[in-house]
Every structure is written in structure tokens, then in C-alpha cells.
Amino acid sequence: MRFASSFFLRVVIVLSLAVSFASAQQAPAPDPVFVLPGVTGFTSLPNGIDIRAGAAHEQIVALRDDVVRIRVSRTEALPEDASWAVLAGARASRVPVTPLIRGSSIGFATKQLRVAVDRTTLELTIRDADGNIVQQDARPIVFHGDAFQIAKTMPLDEHFFGLGDKTGPLDRRDEAFTLWNTDSYRFQESTDPIYKSIPFFITYEAGRAAGVLLDNTWRSSFDFGKESRDSYSFGAENGPIDYYVFYGPTPKQVVKTYAWLTGTPPLPPLWSLGYQQSRYSYYPQSQVLEIAAHLRADRIPADAIYLDIDYQDHNRPFTVDQSRFPDFPGMIAKLNADNFHVVAITDLHIAKYPDHGYFPYDDGTANDEFVKNPDGSVYTGVVWPGPSVFPDFTRRQSRVWWGKLYRNFYDMGIAGFWNDMNEPSIFDSPTKTMPLDVVHRIDEPGFRTRTATHAEIHNVYGMENSRATFEGLLALKPDVRPFVLTRASYAGGQRYAATWTGDNSSTWNHLRMTTPMLENLGLSGFVFAGADVGGYAGTPTPDLLTKWFEIAAFQPIDRDHTEKGSAMQEPWVSGPEQEAIRRRFIETRYRLMPYFYTVAEESSRTGLPIVRPLFLEFPDAAPDRHPLDDDLAASAEFLFGPDLLIAPAPFSDLMDVYPVEFPSADWYDFWTGERIRKTQVHHPPVVGQPANPADQVPMQISLHPELATLPVFVRAGTILPMEPLVESTNQTPQGPLTLRIYPGDPGEGASCSGSLYLDDGKTMAYRRGDFLRMQFTCGMSDHELHIHIGAHEGSYPAWWKEIHAEVYGLNPASPAVHVESNGRSIPATRSAQSIDFTIVDDGKGIDLDLH
């Protein structure tokens, strides 16, 4: 019966797809539909299985016990084992497997997974060691000409996250997307595609998570139940079937495994985590200096000023307009002296400007660095400088050439570079990008040397542009951490650049859209990301700009940026009352820099995001283990690192009371130190009536929104490091390091922990051990809170001599508070919410008892 039913199913699939692909009578005949035949032979491999299905070839191998790679070809030869996204070391990894050969299926087992391929249909099923389905084909792989589609079963309670900064809700279920890097000025909630193509997503069902990476650079599609209510699908218009399935079961483990496959982001320079000021454009030179002086005069902490294209001579990259910027090197030096880091835009198009001494064009032409038309001539497209040519970033030598173009700017003291328009965006093209037949010449270690059309390279072009910039800067100054900001990218692009969400709009809805976009970017590798504060397109209302400043203070990249023709958008616009609110939140960001930088360093090692959805830290929060982020009450909430919960109203333009859902039942108010208590349920649920939603989550409270406030909560069990206020990360904080100690539930030992990471924030010296790392813990016994401040690890010196501790949530029975260290009494004060004391930190570690 299995064979008969499967054969009937295959006939139905072929016939139905042939009908669905048919078009009007006068349209050309569609490409033939092809479904792989059943297994005609197989060979068990030490790390997987090799399968033949007629002329077709499939290979499934285990890279780790929790990672499986699947490659399929309609012909005998498998796709080239090369990737722009997946690291060579990961692709070469292997673990031994145990063959599982049964009557109806063939496959293998690792220590964590069971892989089975149906002999008749080639349908793939992957289960965990407990028998739970991790992924299961819904039907055989279908080819339509060069295109293919892979469909998977989709239970009712399965959720999907990832794909980078796509618009819409955080959860991708019931949505469909196209991956094709596109310049999307004023994109809206329904706009697709937009700037990046990151073909990775997380499946999440009842608290268990798995990851899927389709490593295919062609135009691709992902449908999470929009077309079919019981299956999801993904595929591409051409290129290889080469995808990875990896199991958690926790969402955190999936994200870490994705980083193992595609790489972690580099540790950024500390200044890039500070506040950044930008617009299109600040000019002339006097205005740039005026903006910097205003920031300092108003004591608004800031670390970067951006130069958009108007600093250039007729928008030609790597030039300076001498009439607008008569002393460009002097301006850079002045800004550097005032602790401002300059980020200059360098779009990837090179002006076609021969015989005028324009070095990038002349030298690039002489060295044959630009992409070609099919006839071998250099492709030309119109962008900001007018007719332009484009480096062929698929060639290693062209990337090296591009990187050398930064020498003068980098030596001048420009600290970072901004690669915009790199989808690539073309003004005089009906597709807004290069023609699909433009030719790239792949000459890259690990790849077969060959030509490829732009249809194949388009989605990686922006990533390779940012790679060329990053590697070029590193070659010019090997001990300085590069900062590159890119608009377009592909999976793995986090290895080279930070990013932002592109040309958003100055609307309340765009502010609301920002959080899920940044969350999904973080899950997709881009942990250092932001959205233009206040919105790029248009002028925000004063209240909108203020609320945006508040929320952006808790996002990885905090850049205020707007378009030409809009009103000024700096923190001081709208008057002193609004400025005071905006300044306070920027100041809070800087006071939290020890915590922020510690999380950033963790991200650089593990790939875990800085802005996190609730389910990443709390997959088991709800009784049914659904992601709390799908609840309307929690849809605007996010975690800043593992320990801070940011809870703006779901609709920040409304003044209605709104609920805050907590993913656990023990939190503190960051601003006041007050412990948030779960409201007791006084009435049992009535049989046959819907349950109160507040009873279905660990904890829920109601808040009234106010313009000047943003609810921020600290997870119980946290030790949060903070520092005295500085106006730039170049300044050394003056005073003690502050440790805010938030013990957990006293009935469970009141345990807490935290850590701190510190280095020079600029160089690669941390890789040579020149860093400082500390661990902190606390716990309760015999009515005493024991606090341990760990010894300094590493060789980097602390900027503080003392530690100021603030202990929250304790209510000692005695009005007198005693703090002791090795029998020595430490003076302490007690306020309504905290117990405070200061101790000398000699770097050797400290143990204290509070009773």
C-alpha cells in the first residue's frame, strides 16, 4: 500500500503542478515539471548516506550530531561544495553515524538525530533522539525547469522566525517572502522584498527549536503557510539544492549553531555602541563642526558623526568637495580631538569619469576591476554620480583593490565607513538593479574559477562589497577594529559589517515595526543593527522623535538619521523639555555601557543577539510553550541582552492603559528598584469559560503610557554593572564601578549572577589576553546574603579603584544593616528600595556578607 499510495501521490503532484504552471493559451509553454524518482541505489557513508535516484543524486551528511547537510542534484554531479555563507571549516566537519536501513526507508542516526529517506518518494524525515519530528517533507522535491521547491509539514503550533529584517510581525507564520536585495525607499509593512537576503529561519514548536539554512544565492522564496495551511515551503529560481537542518532543542542553541556555520560578528570598536548623529547631509564643513559643538555644549553624550554623499565632489566616491569642505583633514582632526569618530559614506559605484584624474575609475579600468556586459564591455549604470561602473567583488583581487582605496581617508583619521546603495541600486534600470545577464568573474579561494551572471551573484554582491571594505581596512591597520555599516547583505555578512533597516519612515507604525525587524536580524546573525532614529523619510512629530530616542537607547546601533529636505532631527529640536527627555535616555545608554559591552563581547563569541525576543531566553514561559512574543500584549517588548526587559506600549501613539507580559514572575523596575510582584488570583477559573489571559503567563501588570518614561525591568537574579556618566566612550569614567544587585526569590536562595568584560575598545589587543573579565554571584543562607566579586581575569587594568554596590529587594528584619568582608565591617546605608555600600577593589576578589 505504501508503494501504491506514494505512486498515486506522485502522479497527482505532477499533474496538478503542470496545470498550476500553465498560463494563457497564447503564452509560451511552461518549463517541464520534474519530480525525483525513487531510490535506485545508495551507499552508507561514515558520516551519512549517498543516494542515487535514476540520474539524480542526493547526499545527506552529519556535520555534527545536531547538524545535517542535504545536497540534491537532478544530475549525477552534486552541486559545487563552495559557499559565500558557510565557513569552510564547518562544511568540512563530520561525525560518525550509525546506518539505519529498513524496508521502506534508508538513513542514519547520530547521537541526537534520526534521519530517514523514503525509498519510494525520497521524502526526508528528521527526528530527535526522543522521536519528536524535527522536520518532515510534506511532498517530494519538485523542479519546474531550473527552479525547485521543497515543502515541509507544518503543525498547527509551529512558529517561524528569521530571514533578517523582513517587515511584518516577528513570527513569519502565515506570511510569504521573496529574497532579492532591493532598494526599498519608504518601505511599508507589506513591502517585500527589501534590502537583505538571509535564507535562514528558526522553526519553533512547543518550546523546541530547529534551524534551516538554504545556501542558495539566487532569487528565492519562503512560504510559511500562506499558500497551504498545513505545510511550509522554500525554493529558488535556479542554483543548488544545498541546505542545512540543525536542532536545538533550545532556540539559543539554534542561534549558536547558525553562528558556527556562518560565523560570528567581530567585536566592534566601543565607540560604535555610543550615540551616533547623522543626516543626508551635513554640509558645509562649518555645519558639521556646529553640530558637534552643539552636542558637546548641551552635554549630550555622542561618539560619531556621519558624512553622507554631499561631502564628495559631485557624489564621486573617495573624493572631497573642496568648496564645501575647504579643510577636510583639519575638520577630521578637530572632530577627533573632541572625541567624535567620523563615519564617511563610500558607495560602491565608481563614477565613469575618464581623463579627469579620478583615480578609482582610471586605476580600476587599467586593472580590469569592473563587472562586464555579456559582450565583454564594462557595464555602466546610472547612480548618484551619473554613469557609473561597479567593482567585481566576486574576485579576490578586486576586493583587495577596493580596500586600498580607503588608505587616504583612513590615514586622515576617518574611523568608519558606510557602504550604501549596494543591493546594488541602479537608477536607470526598470528592475532598479543590474540586468540579470551582467557577468561576474568568480576568482575566489574555495570556488571553482568561472563566470556567473548577476542573477546568481545579486544577493551576495552587497555582502562582498562590505567584505572588501572590512578586509581592506584590516589590511591597512591590522591592529585596529574596523567599523563598516552596510545596507545590503547575505547570510554570513555579519562577519564583515553592522547594518541598519534602510530607508524607514517617520511614522508611529515604523517605530512599531523596528523591534521585530531588529529581533529577526539578531536571530539571523546581525546582532549589531539599528534603525534610523526618528525615521529617515519625512519629519517626525516631536513626541514621535522623543519616543524613538527612548527605545533606540536600548538597541545595538543608535543612529539618528534623516533625509534631505526633512526638518532637522537632532536631540535639541522641539525645545528644551523634549531635549531633556532624549538626553536622559542617551545618558542611560552610556551608564549601562559596561553591561552593553559585556553582552556585545558575548555576541562576538556566540552569535547570540543583543536585542532578543522573549522566547529566546524563556522558551518555556507559557503553559503551552508558545512564544510569548506572539501575544499582542508582549508584541512590542524585547530583551536588551539577557537581563533587561524593555516594555513600550504596543501602540506608542495611543495613551491607553496597556498590559505588560513578563516571561517569568520575578522582576525589578530598573528606574525605581521596586520589586514587581505577581498579582494573586482570588477566584478560581470557571469551568466552561475562557481563562483570564493574565493567568496564562507568569506575570502581567498594567501600565499607563507617558511621553517621558519607558518601562524597563531587570530580571531577578541579575547583577548589573554600570558606570559614571561620560560624554564619549573615549573618556575614562571618574568614580566607582556600580554593581546593581537584584537577588532572586529568597525562598529559592536569592541567587544572582553577573559578569563584566572590558578592554581598550579599539584594538585587537584583547585577542592577546589584554582584557579584563569579572564574575559576580550572590546567594542567601542563614538570613545572610553572601556576595562574591570575582578576581580580575586578564591583563587589562580597571579604570575604577572602588565598587559601589546597590542591593535591591531585601527587607532585613533589623533596621540596622551590617556588611562584612572577612570580619571587617563595611559602612552601609539603607533607603526605601536598596542597601548601598562602597568597597575597595584590589582585583583579587572580594567576599561579603550582608545581614
Side-chain angles (χ1 to χ4, degrees):
M1 282 299 296
R2 172 62 182 165
F3 175 81
S5 61
S6 300
F7 176 77
F8 177 74
L9 174 63
R10 291 163 58 78
V11 171
V12 169
I13 289 173
V14 172
L15 292 177
S16 62
L17 287 170
V19 172
S20 66
F21 287 136
S23 54
Q25 290 183 349
Q26 297 180 353
D31 291 329
V33 177
F34 176 76
V35 179
L36 294 176
V39 175
T40 57
F42 69 90
T43 302
S44 291
L45 304 174
N47 64 326
I49 191 166
D50 193 86
I51 301 170
R52 299 305 174 106
H57 191 179
E58 177 171 9
Q59 189 176 91
I60 307 174
V61 296
L63 307 185
R64 295 190 329 200
D65 287 320
D66 57 347
V67 182
V68 172
R69 183 185 186 188
I70 301 101
R71 290 195 290 163
V72 180
S73 174
R74 290 176 57 176
T75 62
E76 183 175 344
L78 287 171
E80 180 184 7
D81 188 7
S83 176
W84 302 103
V86 181
L87 300 173
R91 296 200 321 275
S93 179
R94 57 172 56 200
V95 294
V97 303
T98 302
L100 295 178
I101 311 302
R102 294 169 180 155
S104 61
S105 68
I106 55 177
F108 61 86
T110 73
K111 293 178 181 178
Q112 295 186 39
L113 298 174
R114 304 289 182 267
V115 175
V117 177
D118 187 278
R119 290 178 182 265
T120 303
T121 65
L122 262 70
E123 290 174 5
L124 171 67
T125 300
I126 301 175
R127 300 177 185 269
D128 68 12
D130 295 326
N132 299 303
I133 292 177
V134 175
Q135 191 186 79
Q136 184 175 46
D137 284 353
R139 53 182 179 270
I141 297 173
V142 174
F143 292 86
H144 175 216
D146 293 325
F148 65 87
Q149 185 183 68
I150 300 169
K152 305 289 184 178
T153 59
M154 185 178 70
L156 292 175
D157 60 345
E158 192 164 18
H159 306 269
F160 304 90
F161 306 93
L163 296 187
D165 58 345
K166 292 295 188 180
T167 59
L170 175 68
D171 192 344
R172 305 307 193 191
R173 188 178 176 109
D174 297 328
E175 303 287 339
F177 301 93
T178 299
L179 268 59
W180 184 251
N181 292 0
T182 303
D183 183 351
S184 299
Y185 173 72
R186 281 189 179 270
F187 64 87
Q188 296 302 315
E189 203 157 18
S190 59
T191 304
D192 186 69
I194 56 173
Y195 303 98
K196 299 171 194 66
S197 297
I198 306 178
F200 160 70
F201 60 92
I202 297 172
T203 69
Y204 180 93
E205 181 188 4
R208 296 188 307 275
V212 179
L213 170 63
L214 172 65
D215 193 6
N216 181 301
T217 65
W218 295 72
R219 186 185 184 99
S220 55
S221 61
F222 293 77
D223 186 318
F224 299 107
K226 194 174 184 69
E227 181 181 17
S228 172
R229 68 172 61 124
D230 56 4
S231 66
Y232 69 92
S233 63
F234 53 91
E237 66 178 20
N238 205 323
I241 297 180
D242 187 356
Y243 70 102
Y244 301 78
V245 179
F246 36 103
Y247 190 46
T250 67
K252 268 189 170 182
Q253 184 56 49
V254 170
V255 173
K256 288 180 179 180
T257 301
Y258 177 71
W260 176 78
L261 285 167
T262 64
T264 56
L267 182 62
L270 178 61
W271 65 261
S272 68
L273 304 181
Y275 174 68
Q276 306 179 11
Q277 189 64 58
S278 180
R279 81 170 280 117
Y280 170 38
S281 286
Y282 288 133
Y283 70 89
Q285 176 175 318
S286 59
Q287 187 187 45
V288 179
L289 294 174
E290 177 188 334
I291 293 295
H294 201 152
L295 286 163
R296 291 291 179 249
D298 284 13
R299 305 187 70 84
I300 298 170
D303 267 274
I305 289 183
Y306 279 63
L307 300 178
D308 211 320
I309 60 174
D310 289 301
Y311 82 90
Q312 302 170 140
D313 182 12
H314 292 84
N315 297 330
R316 297 175 191 131
F318 302 101
T319 66
V320 175
D321 185 334
Q322 297 294 332
S323 63
R324 289 174 172 171
F325 294 84
D327 184 12
F328 192 70
M331 181 193 74
I332 301 299
K334 167 64 173 169
L335 291 169
N336 287 348
D338 291 338
N339 288 325
F340 284 103
H341 300 79
V342 177
V343 180
I345 199 169
T346 50
D347 291 338
L348 79 174
H349 42 254
I350 298 297
K352 188 176 183 179
Y353 194 52
D355 305 322
H356 287 81
Y358 179 46
F359 179 80
Y361 177 78
D362 294 342
D363 193 63
T365 300
N367 289 287
D368 193 23
E369 307 292 5
F370 304 126
V371 297
K372 305 291 186 68
N373 290 307
D375 64 4
S377 62
V378 173
Y379 167 73
T380 301
V382 174
V383 208
W384 294 117
S388 303
V389 295
F390 301 83
D392 192 348
F393 295 112
T394 61
R395 305 171 71 228
R396 183 180 182 277
Q397 74 173 56
S398 295
R399 295 198 305 273
V400 171
W401 170 82
W402 171 266
K404 291 178 180 178
L405 295 177
Y406 287 95
R407 181 181 300 278
N408 289 341
F409 280 172
Y410 216 24
D411 288 345
M412 199 181 295
I414 294 177
F417 295 93
W418 173 17
N419 293 156
D420 201 356
M421 305 294 290
N422 56 355
E423 291 71 33
S425 179
I426 309 292
F427 293 166
D428 64 338
S429 167
T431 63
K432 301 196 293 186
T433 194
M434 290 181 184
L436 299 184
D437 60 355
V438 162
V439 177
H440 301 262
R441 295 159 288 165
I442 298 177
D443 190 355
E444 168 73 11
F447 282 78
R448 179 169 51 87
T449 301
R450 61 183 176 89
T451 60
T453 65
H454 190 67
E456 177 183 351
I457 299 303
H458 175 85
N459 280 344
V460 296
Y461 190 68
M463 178 177 81
E464 292 304 292
N465 166 220
S466 63
R467 176 186 181 183
T469 304
F470 178 85
E471 292 178 344
L473 298 179
L474 204 54
L476 292 171
K477 296 184 180 181
D479 202 40
V480 175
R481 300 179 211 175
F483 177 73
V484 182
L485 187 72
T486 187
R487 191 168 73 176
S489 200
Y490 181 72
Q494 71 273 5
R495 302 192 296 262
Y496 315 115
T499 193
W500 85 107
T501 60
D503 294 342
N504 60 356
S505 297
S506 299
T507 67
W508 288 100
N509 193 45
H510 270 253
L511 173 59
R512 181 173 179 268
M513 290 164 57
T514 294
T515 292
M517 293 179 79
L518 294 182
E519 287 175 316
N520 273 316
L521 271 171
L523 293 173
S524 306
F526 281 91
V527 304
F528 299 107
D532 287 344
V533 174
Y536 174 76
T539 300
T541 65
D543 287 1
L544 170 59
L545 181 57
T546 294
K547 189 56 67 175
W548 212 313
F549 266 104
E550 293 174 12
I551 296 173
F554 299 94
Q555 293 171 348
I557 301 293
D558 186 7
R559 183 181 76 150
D560 177 16
H561 182 58
T562 188
E563 68 179 338
K564 183 176 289 189
S566 66
M568 300 302 284
Q569 200 163 288
E570 293 71 33
W572 52 82
V573 302
S574 320
E577 183 178 347
Q578 299 274 11
E579 180 184 12
I581 300 170
R582 299 163 188 168
R583 180 195 298 109
R584 182 164 68 92
F585 279 88
I586 295 174
E587 289 175 346
T588 299
R589 179 185 184 90
Y590 277 76
R591 288 192 173 101
L592 281 167
M593 197 60 71
Y595 170 75
F596 187 4
Y597 194 54
T598 299
V599 176
E601 191 273 337
E602 178 196 31
S603 297
S604 73
R605 289 184 289 107
T606 66
L608 289 174
I610 295 171
V611 165
R612 305 180 182 185
L614 306 185
F615 78 83
L616 190 68
E617 291 287 336
F618 299 93
D620 300 323
D624 62 356
R625 304 178 80 193
H626 79 275
L628 288 187
D629 309 87
D630 276 1
D631 298 350
L632 179 60
S635 60
E637 298 174 20
F638 62 94
L639 294 165
F640 185 61
D643 298 321
L644 293 182
L645 174 64
I646 319 302
F651 300 93
S652 294
D653 51 333
L654 303 179
M655 290 294 102
D656 303 310
V657 171
Y658 69 96
V660 172
E661 283 190 358
F662 290 87
S664 64
D666 205 357
W667 293 79
Y668 292 81
D669 187 308
F670 171 78
W671 306 109
T672 68
E674 179 185 3
R675 196 166 198 149
I676 309 300
R677 300 291 185 180
K678 182 176 177 65
T679 302
Q680 296 299 315
V681 179
H682 298 292
H683 303 286
V686 179
V687 176
Q689 292 188 9
N692 183 346
D695 298 339
Q696 303 306 302
V697 296
M699 184 167 64
Q700 185 179 91
I701 63 172
S702 294
L703 295 177
H704 190 286
E706 297 178 3
L707 176 64
T709 63
L710 175 68
V712 177
F713 303 95
V714 186
R715 187 178 187 172
T718 295
I719 299 180
L720 186 69
M722 300 179 67
E723 70 182 28
L725 183 62
V726 294
E727 290 189 6
S728 122
T729 58
N730 272 1
Q731 295 180 346
T732 301
Q734 299 300 309
L737 172 73
T738 294
L739 294 181
R740 289 191 179 182
I741 300 172
Y742 300 92
D745 189 337
E748 299 176 2
S751 64
C752 61
S753 63
S755 62
L756 181 145
Y757 174 85
L758 180 67
D759 58 29
D760 66 18
K762 301 173 183 178
T763 73
M764 301 296 183
Y766 71 95
R767 295 182 175 176
R768 302 186 290 271
D770 198 11
F771 60 82
L772 186 154
R773 195 184 299 276
M774 297 176 68
Q775 306 293 335
F776 319 111
T777 60
C778 79
M780 183 79 77
S781 66
D782 298 327
H783 305 290
E784 290 187 346
L785 184 70
H786 305 284
I787 301 170
H788 174 70
I789 298 173
H792 296 193
E793 303 171 30
S795 60
Y796 191 75
W799 50 258
W800 63 88
K801 300 298 183 185
E802 296 180 318
I803 292 177
H804 176 72
E806 302 172 1
V807 183
Y808 294 87
L810 294 187
N811 295 293
S814 170
V817 176
H818 300 281
V819 180
E820 294 180 357
S821 175
N822 297 322
R824 182 170 56 90
S825 180
I826 306 294
T829 61
R830 179 176 180 177
S831 66
Q833 299 295 345
S834 67
I835 299 166
D836 300 2
F837 56 91
T838 301
I839 53 174
V840 174
D841 180 19
D842 61 6
K844 299 178 181 179
I846 307 167
D847 287 289
L848 303 122
D849 295 315
L850 190 156
H851 56 90

